[in-house]
Amino acid sequence: MQEPLAGAGHLYIAPPFVSWPLHEAERLVLPQNGEQAQPLHETLANVLLLCNQWRSLDEHTAIAIKEMPALQPHAQQIHQGLEHMVKQGLLVSAEQLAQNYANSATASTEHESIKTLYVRTFRCPQALERLLKSVQNGRSGASINTLVVIDDAREESDLEHSRNLLDSYRDKLSANLIHITRADRERMADTLATASGANADHLQWWLNGDPNDPEMSAGATFNTALLLSAGTTTALIDDDAQLTPIGAPEDTAAIKVASDENAKWTMYPSDESMESAWSTLDLDPLAAHSRWLGQSLSTLAEQTPQRESFWQSITSADLHWLKPNAQVKISVNGILGDPGTGSASWLYTLPTEQLAPWLESEESYRRLTSQRLMARQSEGQKVLPHHTLLSPLVGVDNRQLMPPTFPNGRGEDLLFADLVCCVYPESLFAQLPWMLKHEPEQKRKFDQEDLLTPRSVSACQVLAEYLHKLRDTIPSATTNTRLQWLGQSLQALAEAPNETLATDYQCHLTSNRANMSSEVMNNLRTLQPPPYLAADMQQLLANCRQGLASDQQNQQQVLNQVRDRAGHYSQALNSWRLAWEHCRQIGEANTLEMALKAPDANNRNQLLSFLRLRK
């Protein structure tokens, strides 16, 4: 038996590669980011395709023989071939992979602390007050220079409630409080249009949404924060969150790169049981987000002492998305309390170990599924090539031009993630393990209809699916080029034949329900649930199988929204670019002053203090 290769006890993986026929029984193989193709025997090239996960050379050999039994008599030669591929760099260890990224990566963006927190609010004074109390009592209060409340209320009485509440906290917080209303944004759009050469109507759409669109304009408040903070790292939080980190202290240590969020969901029967399960953490959430934004993949890999644990969660295919110049553009954390979703049928697709408490009794099952009391926690600190942004607090590296999200409709955070990836395909997302409490103004519960309504298709989902496919369909290009290409692609979507959009919609719906059916059936087989649970799961399956007819009335409304929003986005995108660049040039303080062109005395004094602090 041969002596093992030095380091053969290490785990190895094959980076993505392309290959071409060289001559009989040989191929030329070029690994991702490689500079020179190398000849390799065709059999070894086929073995290399199987080296798509982290394994020892012995394990790779065993997998090759299992998949290609004819190689059984040649196990020693296969092992030697794998050793040869290690020397060629076609198989890499975690140490070598980290070194490859360090050698080819660009320098990390200089670290910048988040100093301004943007709060998005809409007619939720009680929730907003809970948030302000958490800022007053938490560690983050000291690091926030300015707290900007972007108010989407239409009625003067609602605005007056917000003004009075903010006035009552001006002396309680060290942060300067600024209140931005819809009227302020309307004025800001006109002023910005004159200063930057942008179209005023387009900026009105970005900042206040479409008045003819009946859906909420939460995306408009998101866009307002992006414009006001142009050129900085920043954070956005919803009014119904609380800025008090909650979790388990030991979960904040490890850092790893992963391909999937794989957050763990835990359900609770009461507020008391949920809150007693976790500890309040002694950390500043904004500082925790700040440390990630702009960090390169190679820098993060160097920060962990155990390289194998950093890389072990990914496959060869994942390395395709992990570019050497990849940087963290967005950071998110977990959520404790109301998950924020309208439906609850997705609960039946969770891993079976997370559903085990449902089996205890029907009473326990009914209570757990109705209370909307859940913990969504990442297992450790993760770096991901994509994320769905289910978080009430989002950190954004807004130092480079960020694309706006769609101003109207739900799912503005999901769409923002996909839009960022269209403009910056190398983007990374940091997922932090600690959580923030999420408690809407009005306490809600899931009812039976929420639980048993199968997946449907919204305008947000159609747009997200379309955007997701655009990420890797254009070669490397400048930000402005990719921004133009994004606009042209959305215009093409807006002008697509109705038959094409209808077919796409039906494919999305069929795929969604087929996937849900498959996941529910797998859980049924694994859990072998008691009758009360089996009956509900069978009913959900029956509802999934109703097919396209059950969603026909929704289809045309959704497609009309897709057309309208995609076309409007395309037409208004250049105005966004002009406005963002102007805001970056004049700085956050001056942009805020522009938004408060005719502020009240309190706001004016607070803004002057803010200007002095930023100098």
Side-chain angles (χ1 to χ4, degrees):
M1 189 71 179
Q2 64 178 37
E3 289 293 317
L5 179 74
H10 292 167
L11 303 182
Y12 295 89
I13 195 170
F17 64 88
V18 292
S19 66
W20 304 268
L22 182 59
H23 51 74
E24 186 177 356
E26 275 203 323
R27 300 188 70 84
L28 274 178
V29 178
L30 178 66
Q32 181 180 8
N33 304 319
E35 296 180 357
Q36 184 174 354
Q38 303 176 48
L40 194 66
H41 192 279
E42 186 173 24
T43 299
L44 290 180
N46 292 332
V47 170
L48 189 61
L49 286 170
L50 300 174
C51 299
N52 58 353
Q53 296 183 22
W54 293 100
R55 302 185 185 99
S56 68
L57 297 186
D58 288 342
E59 290 168 333
H60 281 308
T61 301
I63 291 293
I65 292 171
K66 179 182 177 182
E67 296 296 323
M68 295 180 284
L71 297 180
Q72 178 71 51
H74 308 289
Q76 184 173 351
Q77 290 92 328
I78 295 299
H79 200 285
Q80 290 173 341
L82 291 170
E83 294 174 356
H84 175 67
M85 287 190 279
V86 170
K87 294 175 181 177
Q88 288 181 293
L90 299 175
L91 280 174
V92 295
S93 66
E95 284 287 339
Q96 184 58 54
L97 184 63
Q99 189 60 49
N100 291 348
Y101 274 83
N103 290 341
S104 56
T106 56
S108 294
T109 304
E110 184 180 353
H111 173 76
E112 180 181 299
S113 297
I114 295 171
K115 295 299 183 183
T116 305
L117 176 64
Y118 289 87
V119 179
R120 305 191 297 150
T121 189
F122 177 66
R123 300 180 64 189
C124 294
Q126 295 176 7
L128 181 58
E129 183 167 15
R130 287 195 295 263
L131 171 58
L132 294 174
K133 283 183 178 177
S134 70
V135 175
Q136 177 187 3
N137 299 326
R139 281 191 58 189
S140 60
S143 66
I144 302 173
N145 284 355
T146 307
L147 193 151
V148 181
V149 177
I150 305 173
D151 199 331
D152 212 32
R154 272 75 167 169
E155 301 296 329
E156 181 59 32
S157 58
D158 293 320
L159 293 171
E160 191 62 26
H161 280 139
S162 295
R163 290 190 192 101
N164 292 337
L165 176 61
L166 294 179
D167 286 344
S168 70
Y169 270 84
R170 292 194 189 281
D171 294 333
K172 299 177 184 178
L173 301 180
S174 60
N176 301 306
L177 286 177
I178 295 176
H179 187 207
I180 303 290
T181 66
R182 290 180 64 85
D184 293 326
R185 280 131 62 190
E186 184 176 353
R187 191 169 51 244
M188 176 184 172
D190 290 337
T191 305
L192 258 180
T194 301
S196 67
N199 181 291
D201 290 337
H202 291 165
L203 294 185
Q204 295 285 0
W205 186 72
W206 290 125
L207 299 180
N208 272 340
D210 185 349
N212 298 316
D213 193 321
E215 293 202 16
M216 61 192 300
S217 51
T221 59
F222 199 104
N223 292 338
T224 301
L226 290 179
L227 269 191
L228 291 170
S229 63
T232 72
T233 56
T234 193
L236 296 77
I237 192 168
D238 295 341
D239 56 8
D240 53 9
Q242 295 165 42
L243 206 58
T244 304
I246 299 169
E250 65 274 12
D251 288 334
T252 62
I255 302 174
K256 63 181 178 180
V257 62
S259 58
D260 200 310
E261 298 167 38
N262 279 338
K264 180 181 178 181
W265 287 95
T266 307
M267 289 162 270
Y268 301 93
S270 66
D271 286 284
E272 294 76 19
S273 61
M274 180 180 71
E275 292 176 4
S276 65
W278 302 97
S279 304
T280 299
L281 302 180
D282 184 26
L283 62 86
D284 178 344
L286 295 191
H289 277 268
S290 296
R291 66 164 288 217
W292 290 89
L293 296 173
Q295 292 292 316
S296 70
L297 184 62
S298 58
T299 300
L300 292 171
E302 290 171 3
Q303 290 175 1
T304 180
Q306 297 179 340
R307 297 288 172 84
E308 288 192 357
S309 66
F310 181 81
W311 298 102
Q312 68 182 358
S313 298
I314 61 169
T315 65
S316 291
D318 300 323
L319 290 172
H320 172 74
W321 297 104
L322 299 172
K323 309 296 185 183
N325 60 337
Q327 292 181 344
V328 176
K329 293 290 186 182
I330 297 172
S331 55
V332 298
N333 50 260
I335 184 171
L336 184 69
D338 192 312
T341 63
S343 69
S345 54
W346 55 272
L347 291 173
Y348 296 96
T349 68
L350 291 175
T352 51
E353 63 270 17
Q354 298 181 33
L355 304 182
W358 292 5
L359 308 180
E360 294 176 6
S361 68
E362 182 171 4
E363 180 184 1
S364 174
Y365 161 64
R366 299 293 177 197
R367 189 167 183 80
L368 288 170
T369 54
S370 67
Q371 289 302 302
R372 297 183 75 109
L373 297 174
M374 303 181 193
R376 181 184 188 271
Q377 188 195 34
S378 168
E379 296 180 351
Q381 302 182 101
K382 294 181 181 178
V383 185
L384 302 137
H386 193 266
H387 203 283
T388 53
L389 288 187
L390 277 172
S391 176
L393 176 66
V394 178
V396 180
D397 186 354
N398 199 21
R399 287 173 287 183
Q400 290 180 290
L401 174 63
M402 275 289 163
T405 190
F406 291 81
N408 291 92
R410 294 184 179 277
E412 74 281 358
D413 51 357
L414 169 64
L415 289 168
F416 178 65
D418 280 310
L419 288 159
V420 169
C421 289
C422 285
V423 180
Y424 301 102
E426 72 285 357
S427 295
L428 295 176
F429 297 75
Q431 185 182 35
L432 313 184
W434 47 267
M435 302 170 286
L436 293 182
K437 185 78 176 292
H438 182 232
E439 188 177 356
E441 180 93 349
Q442 301 296 326
K443 191 166 178 130
R444 306 175 294 178
K445 288 189 176 184
F446 286 129
D447 58 25
Q448 194 74 348
E449 183 178 357
D450 297 327
L451 288 164
L452 301 183
T453 299
R455 289 173 182 161
S456 60
V457 175
S458 65
C460 168
Q461 290 168 320
V462 174
L463 289 165
E465 183 72 19
Y466 183 77
L467 293 168
H468 193 68
K469 294 175 182 177
L470 298 181
R471 180 177 188 175
D472 202 38
T473 57
I474 187 173
S476 297
T478 65
T479 299
N480 282 340
T481 298
R482 294 193 69 93
L483 203 68
Q484 293 172 12
W485 165 80
L486 170 62
Q488 292 166 1
S489 299
L490 286 170
Q491 187 61 39
L493 177 64
E495 296 173 356
N498 198 64
E499 295 80 5
T500 300
L501 291 184
T503 299
D504 283 347
Y505 176 94
Q506 292 160 10
C507 287
H508 292 329
L509 181 64
T510 302
S511 175
N512 284 351
R513 294 192 174 175
N515 290 338
M516 173 169 273
S517 295
S518 175
E519 292 163 349
V520 173
M521 284 190 291
N522 286 337
N523 282 354
L524 260 172
R525 284 192 293 267
T526 304
L527 286 173
Q528 293 294 303
Y532 60 83
L533 177 53
D536 280 357
M537 296 177 81
Q538 292 288 1
Q539 183 59 55
L540 177 57
L541 285 173
N543 293 342
C544 286
R545 291 167 183 153
Q546 288 177 2
L548 302 176
S550 65
D551 216 58
Q552 285 259 315
Q553 60 184 7
N554 187 50
Q555 176 177 309
Q556 197 55 51
Q557 177 185 352
V558 166
L559 296 185
N560 288 340
Q561 288 177 334
V562 168
R563 284 186 187 283
D564 183 65
R565 293 172 186 174
H568 216 148
Y569 193 105
S570 173
Q571 294 162 19
L573 193 52
N574 188 54
S575 288
W576 174 268
R577 179 184 63 81
L578 293 171
W580 190 96
E581 289 290 355
H582 181 78
C583 292
R584 180 190 62 80
Q585 289 171 10
I586 67 175
E588 185 178 35
N590 289 324
T591 305
L592 283 165
E593 186 177 25
M594 180 195 306
L596 297 171
K597 187 176 181 181
D600 60 39
N602 283 331
N603 260 343
R604 187 67 176 180
N605 291 336
Q606 295 297 322
L607 187 59
L608 290 173
S609 298
F610 171 70
L611 284 163
R612 287 194 293 270
L613 282 170
R614 299 290 284 196
K615 287 181 179 179

mmCIF file of all heavy atoms in Angstrom, residues 91-122:
data_model
loop_
_atom_site.group_PDB
_atom_site.id
_atom_site.type_symbol
_atom_site.label_atom_id
_atom_site.label_comp_id
_atom_site.label_asym_id
_atom_site.label_seq_id
_atom_site.Cartn_x
_atom_site.Cartn_y
_atom_site.Cartn_z
ATOM 1 N N LEU A 91 -7.663 20.142 -7.376
ATOM 2 C CA LEU A 91 -8.318 19.862 -6.097
ATOM 3 C C LEU A 91 -7.626 20.721 -5.049
ATOM 4 O O LEU A 91 -6.396 20.784 -5.016
ATOM 5 C CB LEU A 91 -8.175 18.381 -5.708
ATOM 6 C CG LEU A 91 -9.107 17.367 -6.362
ATOM 7 C CD1 LEU A 91 -8.695 15.961 -5.945
ATOM 8 C CD2 LEU A 91 -10.549 17.624 -5.967
ATOM 9 N N VAL A 92 -8.396 21.389 -4.214
ATOM 10 C CA VAL A 92 -7.783 22.300 -3.249
ATOM 11 C C VAL A 92 -8.274 21.994 -1.840
ATOM 12 O O VAL A 92 -9.402 21.549 -1.624
ATOM 13 C CB VAL A 92 -8.101 23.773 -3.582
ATOM 14 C CG1 VAL A 92 -7.478 24.173 -4.915
ATOM 15 C CG2 VAL A 92 -9.596 24.028 -3.602
ATOM 16 N N SER A 93 -7.413 22.245 -0.874
ATOM 17 C CA SER A 93 -7.787 22.182 0.531
ATOM 18 C C SER A 93 -8.355 23.535 0.937
ATOM 19 O O SER A 93 -8.287 24.512 0.180
ATOM 20 C CB SER A 93 -6.569 21.863 1.393
ATOM 21 O OG SER A 93 -5.642 22.941 1.333
ATOM 22 N N ALA A 94 -8.906 23.602 2.147
ATOM 23 C CA ALA A 94 -9.444 24.868 2.637
ATOM 24 C C ALA A 94 -8.342 25.921 2.731
ATOM 25 O O ALA A 94 -8.553 27.096 2.398
ATOM 26 C CB ALA A 94 -10.118 24.658 3.992
ATOM 27 N N GLU A 95 -7.148 25.519 3.173
ATOM 28 C CA GLU A 95 -6.036 26.456 3.276
ATOM 29 C C GLU A 95 -5.665 27.007 1.906
ATOM 30 O O GLU A 95 -5.446 28.209 1.743
ATOM 31 C CB GLU A 95 -4.814 25.764 3.909
ATOM 32 C CG GLU A 95 -4.914 25.579 5.405
ATOM 33 C CD GLU A 95 -4.747 26.896 6.167
ATOM 34 O OE1 GLU A 95 -4.177 27.839 5.601
ATOM 35 O OE2 GLU A 95 -5.221 26.965 7.307
ATOM 36 N N GLN A 96 -5.591 26.103 0.898
ATOM 37 C CA GLN A 96 -5.211 26.542 -0.439
ATOM 38 C C GLN A 96 -6.289 27.421 -1.054
ATOM 39 O O GLN A 96 -6.001 28.416 -1.723
ATOM 40 C CB GLN A 96 -4.958 25.327 -1.340
ATOM 41 C CG GLN A 96 -4.467 25.683 -2.736
ATOM 42 C CD GLN A 96 -3.170 26.484 -2.702
ATOM 43 O OE1 GLN A 96 -2.200 26.066 -2.096
ATOM 44 N NE2 GLN A 96 -3.166 27.655 -3.344
ATOM 45 N N LEU A 97 -7.560 27.067 -0.811
ATOM 46 C CA LEU A 97 -8.656 27.876 -1.342
ATOM 47 C C LEU A 97 -8.602 29.289 -0.762
ATOM 48 O O LEU A 97 -8.745 30.282 -1.490
ATOM 49 C CB LEU A 97 -9.997 27.218 -1.014
ATOM 50 C CG LEU A 97 -11.240 27.891 -1.580
ATOM 51 C CD1 LEU A 97 -11.210 27.882 -3.108
ATOM 52 C CD2 LEU A 97 -12.507 27.184 -1.083
ATOM 53 N N ALA A 98 -8.386 29.384 0.546
ATOM 54 C CA ALA A 98 -8.287 30.699 1.180
ATOM 55 C C ALA A 98 -7.119 31.484 0.590
ATOM 56 O O ALA A 98 -7.218 32.694 0.352
ATOM 57 C CB ALA A 98 -8.126 30.540 2.689
ATOM 58 N N GLN A 99 -5.996 30.793 0.340
ATOM 59 C CA GLN A 99 -4.828 31.456 -0.224
ATOM 60 C C GLN A 99 -5.108 31.936 -1.646
ATOM 61 O O GLN A 99 -4.707 33.032 -2.039
ATOM 62 C CB GLN A 99 -3.627 30.504 -0.221
ATOM 63 C CG GLN A 99 -2.306 31.171 -0.601
ATOM 64 C CD GLN A 99 -1.941 32.296 0.352
ATOM 65 O OE1 GLN A 99 -1.974 32.125 1.562
ATOM 66 N NE2 GLN A 99 -1.605 33.457 -0.189
ATOM 67 N N ASN A 100 -5.829 31.111 -2.425
ATOM 68 C CA ASN A 100 -6.175 31.505 -3.792
ATOM 69 C C ASN A 100 -7.001 32.793 -3.796
ATOM 70 O O ASN A 100 -6.788 33.685 -4.621
ATOM 71 C CB ASN A 100 -6.961 30.390 -4.481
ATOM 72 C CG ASN A 100 -6.118 29.169 -4.768
ATOM 73 O OD1 ASN A 100 -4.891 29.208 -4.666
ATOM 74 N ND2 ASN A 100 -6.765 28.069 -5.115
ATOM 75 N N TYR A 101 -7.959 32.869 -2.873
ATOM 76 C CA TYR A 101 -8.788 34.072 -2.801
ATOM 77 C C TYR A 101 -7.974 35.266 -2.326
ATOM 78 O O TYR A 101 -8.148 36.388 -2.802
ATOM 79 C CB TYR A 101 -9.988 33.842 -1.873
ATOM 80 C CG TYR A 101 -11.168 33.208 -2.565
ATOM 81 C CD1 TYR A 101 -11.234 31.833 -2.748
ATOM 82 C CD2 TYR A 101 -12.212 33.982 -3.054
ATOM 83 C CE1 TYR A 101 -12.303 31.248 -3.405
ATOM 84 C CE2 TYR A 101 -13.291 33.410 -3.704
ATOM 85 C CZ TYR A 101 -13.341 32.038 -3.877
ATOM 86 O OH TYR A 101 -14.398 31.462 -4.530
ATOM 87 N N ALA A 102 -7.064 35.024 -1.379
ATOM 88 C CA ALA A 102 -6.246 36.130 -0.869
ATOM 89 C C ALA A 102 -5.328 36.674 -1.957
ATOM 90 O O ALA A 102 -5.112 37.887 -2.053
ATOM 91 C CB ALA A 102 -5.424 35.651 0.327
ATOM 92 N N ASN A 103 -4.811 35.789 -2.824
ATOM 93 C CA ASN A 103 -3.878 36.215 -3.868
ATOM 94 C C ASN A 103 -4.558 37.014 -4.974
ATOM 95 O O ASN A 103 -3.944 37.885 -5.587
ATOM 96 C CB ASN A 103 -3.190 34.987 -4.491
ATOM 97 C CG ASN A 103 -2.214 34.333 -3.529
ATOM 98 O OD1 ASN A 103 -1.776 34.954 -2.561
ATOM 99 N ND2 ASN A 103 -1.893 33.073 -3.776
ATOM 100 N N SER A 104 -5.836 36.702 -5.234
ATOM 101 C CA SER A 104 -6.493 37.333 -6.382
ATOM 102 C C SER A 104 -7.507 38.395 -5.995
ATOM 103 O O SER A 104 -8.080 39.051 -6.852
ATOM 104 C CB SER A 104 -7.206 36.256 -7.217
ATOM 105 O OG SER A 104 -8.112 35.527 -6.411
ATOM 106 N N ALA A 105 -7.744 38.584 -4.690
ATOM 107 C CA ALA A 105 -8.778 39.519 -4.245
ATOM 108 C C ALA A 105 -8.274 40.954 -4.264
ATOM 109 O O ALA A 105 -7.088 41.226 -4.105
ATOM 110 C CB ALA A 105 -9.252 39.162 -2.846
ATOM 111 N N THR A 106 -9.216 41.856 -4.477
ATOM 112 C CA THR A 106 -8.899 43.275 -4.344
ATOM 113 C C THR A 106 -8.974 43.667 -2.880
ATOM 114 O O THR A 106 -9.527 42.949 -2.055
ATOM 115 C CB THR A 106 -9.904 44.120 -5.148
ATOM 116 O OG1 THR A 106 -11.233 43.803 -4.694
ATOM 117 C CG2 THR A 106 -9.804 43.834 -6.625
ATOM 118 N N ALA A 107 -8.431 44.803 -2.549
ATOM 119 C CA ALA A 107 -8.416 45.246 -1.152
ATOM 120 C C ALA A 107 -9.837 45.507 -0.657
ATOM 121 O O ALA A 107 -10.702 45.959 -1.401
ATOM 122 C CB ALA A 107 -7.584 46.516 -1.022
ATOM 123 N N SER A 108 -10.068 45.231 0.617
ATOM 124 C CA SER A 108 -11.384 45.471 1.209
ATOM 125 C C SER A 108 -11.655 46.965 1.302
ATOM 126 O O SER A 108 -10.743 47.777 1.440
ATOM 127 C CB SER A 108 -11.465 44.861 2.611
ATOM 128 O OG SER A 108 -11.387 43.469 2.552
ATOM 129 N N THR A 109 -12.920 47.307 1.208
ATOM 130 C CA THR A 109 -13.319 48.686 1.433
ATOM 131 C C THR A 109 -13.043 49.046 2.886
ATOM 132 O O THR A 109 -13.239 48.244 3.780
ATOM 133 C CB THR A 109 -14.817 48.856 1.126
ATOM 134 O OG1 THR A 109 -15.066 48.432 -0.203
ATOM 135 C CG2 THR A 109 -15.238 50.300 1.286
ATOM 136 N N GLU A 110 -12.591 50.268 3.087
ATOM 137 C CA GLU A 110 -12.284 50.704 4.452
ATOM 138 C C GLU A 110 -13.536 50.625 5.324
ATOM 139 O O GLU A 110 -14.632 51.006 4.919
ATOM 140 C CB GLU A 110 -11.757 52.140 4.412
ATOM 141 C CG GLU A 110 -11.310 52.671 5.759
ATOM 142 C CD GLU A 110 -10.797 54.089 5.664
ATOM 143 O OE1 GLU A 110 -10.680 54.593 4.537
ATOM 144 O OE2 GLU A 110 -10.516 54.681 6.724
ATOM 145 N N HIS A 111 -13.342 50.146 6.536
ATOM 146 C CA HIS A 111 -14.464 50.004 7.467
ATOM 147 C C HIS A 111 -15.039 51.366 7.825
ATOM 148 O O HIS A 111 -14.314 52.325 8.038
ATOM 149 C CB HIS A 111 -13.989 49.285 8.731
ATOM 150 C CG HIS A 111 -15.017 49.226 9.813
ATOM 151 N ND1 HIS A 111 -16.085 48.364 9.786
ATOM 152 C CD2 HIS A 111 -15.139 49.941 10.959
ATOM 153 C CE1 HIS A 111 -16.819 48.544 10.876
ATOM 154 N NE2 HIS A 111 -16.263 49.496 11.604
ATOM 155 N N GLU A 112 -16.362 51.447 7.873
ATOM 156 C CA GLU A 112 -17.034 52.684 8.265
ATOM 157 C C GLU A 112 -18.194 52.341 9.193
ATOM 158 O O GLU A 112 -19.018 51.490 8.878
ATOM 159 C CB GLU A 112 -17.568 53.416 7.031
ATOM 160 C CG GLU A 112 -18.288 54.724 7.357
ATOM 161 C CD GLU A 112 -18.816 55.414 6.119
ATOM 162 O OE1 GLU A 112 -17.996 55.762 5.249
ATOM 163 O OE2 GLU A 112 -20.042 55.593 6.004
ATOM 164 N N SER A 113 -18.241 52.993 10.323
ATOM 165 C CA SER A 113 -19.300 52.723 11.298
ATOM 166 C C SER A 113 -20.615 53.350 10.857
ATOM 167 O O SER A 113 -20.627 54.420 10.243
ATOM 168 C CB SER A 113 -18.909 53.275 12.677
ATOM 169 O OG SER A 113 -17.760 52.628 13.159
ATOM 170 N N ILE A 114 -21.707 52.666 11.178
ATOM 171 C CA ILE A 114 -23.047 53.195 10.917
ATOM 172 C C ILE A 114 -23.360 54.234 11.987
ATOM 173 O O ILE A 114 -23.314 53.938 13.183
ATOM 174 C CB ILE A 114 -24.099 52.075 10.935
ATOM 175 C CG1 ILE A 114 -23.842 51.093 9.788
ATOM 176 C CG2 ILE A 114 -25.514 52.644 10.839
ATOM 177 C CD1 ILE A 114 -24.702 49.834 9.858
ATOM 178 N N LYS A 115 -23.655 55.438 11.563
ATOM 179 C CA LYS A 115 -23.958 56.523 12.502
ATOM 180 C C LYS A 115 -25.406 57.005 12.420
ATOM 181 O O LYS A 115 -25.872 57.710 13.302
ATOM 182 C CB LYS A 115 -23.021 57.709 12.248
ATOM 183 C CG LYS A 115 -21.552 57.412 12.529
ATOM 184 C CD LYS A 115 -21.338 57.034 13.995
ATOM 185 C CE LYS A 115 -19.866 56.811 14.296
ATOM 186 N NZ LYS A 115 -19.667 56.378 15.712
ATOM 187 N N THR A 116 -26.105 56.672 11.338
ATOM 188 C CA THR A 116 -27.481 57.120 11.149
ATOM 189 C C THR A 116 -28.383 55.901 11.005
ATOM 190 O O THR A 116 -28.092 55.000 10.211
ATOM 191 C CB THR A 116 -27.611 58.014 9.911
ATOM 192 O OG1 THR A 116 -26.701 59.102 10.013
ATOM 193 C CG2 THR A 116 -29.031 58.561 9.780
ATOM 194 N N LEU A 117 -29.459 55.878 11.764
ATOM 195 C CA LEU A 117 -30.443 54.799 11.680
ATOM 196 C C LEU A 117 -31.718 55.361 11.063
ATOM 197 O O LEU A 117 -32.261 56.373 11.537
ATOM 198 C CB LEU A 117 -30.741 54.234 13.070
ATOM 199 C CG LEU A 117 -31.835 53.157 13.133
ATOM 200 C CD1 LEU A 117 -31.412 51.914 12.368
ATOM 201 C CD2 LEU A 117 -32.163 52.814 14.583
ATOM 202 N N TYR A 118 -32.195 54.716 10.005
ATOM 203 C CA TYR A 118 -33.426 55.128 9.329
ATOM 204 C C TYR A 118 -34.569 54.212 9.757
ATOM 205 O O TYR A 118 -34.481 52.984 9.625
ATOM 206 C CB TYR A 118 -33.239 55.084 7.811
ATOM 207 C CG TYR A 118 -32.330 56.181 7.316
ATOM 208 C CD1 TYR A 118 -30.947 56.006 7.265
ATOM 209 C CD2 TYR A 118 -32.844 57.419 6.935
ATOM 210 C CE1 TYR A 118 -30.111 57.024 6.845
ATOM 211 C CE2 TYR A 118 -32.022 58.446 6.507
ATOM 212 C CZ TYR A 118 -30.652 58.243 6.463
ATOM 213 O OH TYR A 118 -29.826 59.261 6.049
ATOM 214 N N VAL A 119 -35.619 54.810 10.280
ATOM 215 C CA VAL A 119 -36.787 54.068 10.766
ATOM 216 C C VAL A 119 -37.942 54.295 9.790
ATOM 217 O O VAL A 119 -38.304 55.447 9.507
ATOM 218 C CB VAL A 119 -37.208 54.540 12.174
ATOM 219 C CG1 VAL A 119 -38.436 53.762 12.649
ATOM 220 C CG2 VAL A 119 -36.053 54.392 13.150
ATOM 221 N N ARG A 120 -38.522 53.232 9.293
ATOM 222 C CA ARG A 120 -39.669 53.329 8.382
ATOM 223 C C ARG A 120 -40.945 53.095 9.187
ATOM 224 O O ARG A 120 -41.093 52.040 9.821
ATOM 225 C CB ARG A 120 -39.538 52.309 7.261
ATOM 226 C CG ARG A 120 -38.214 52.423 6.499
ATOM 227 C CD ARG A 120 -38.207 51.585 5.242
ATOM 228 N NE ARG A 120 -38.343 50.175 5.545
ATOM 229 C CZ ARG A 120 -38.920 49.289 4.730
ATOM 230 N NH1 ARG A 120 -39.441 49.690 3.596
ATOM 231 N NH2 ARG A 120 -38.998 48.025 5.062
ATOM 232 N N THR A 121 -41.848 54.058 9.150
ATOM 233 C CA THR A 121 -43.051 53.933 9.978
ATOM 234 C C THR A 121 -44.303 54.275 9.180
ATOM 235 O O THR A 121 -44.253 55.076 8.237
ATOM 236 C CB THR A 121 -42.950 54.837 11.224
ATOM 237 O OG1 THR A 121 -44.024 54.550 12.114
ATOM 238 C CG2 THR A 121 -43.012 56.315 10.846
ATOM 239 N N PHE A 122 -45.413 53.669 9.586
ATOM 240 C CA PHE A 122 -46.712 53.948 8.967
ATOM 241 C C PHE A 122 -47.817 53.655 9.976
ATOM 242 O O PHE A 122 -48.153 52.507 10.229
ATOM 243 C CB PHE A 122 -46.914 53.107 7.706
ATOM 244 C CG PHE A 122 -48.270 53.293 7.061
ATOM 245 C CD1 PHE A 122 -48.623 54.515 6.504
ATOM 246 C CD2 PHE A 122 -49.179 52.249 7.004
ATOM 247 C CE1 PHE A 122 -49.869 54.699 5.919
ATOM 248 C CE2 PHE A 122 -50.419 52.416 6.418
ATOM 249 C CZ PHE A 122 -50.778 53.649 5.870
#
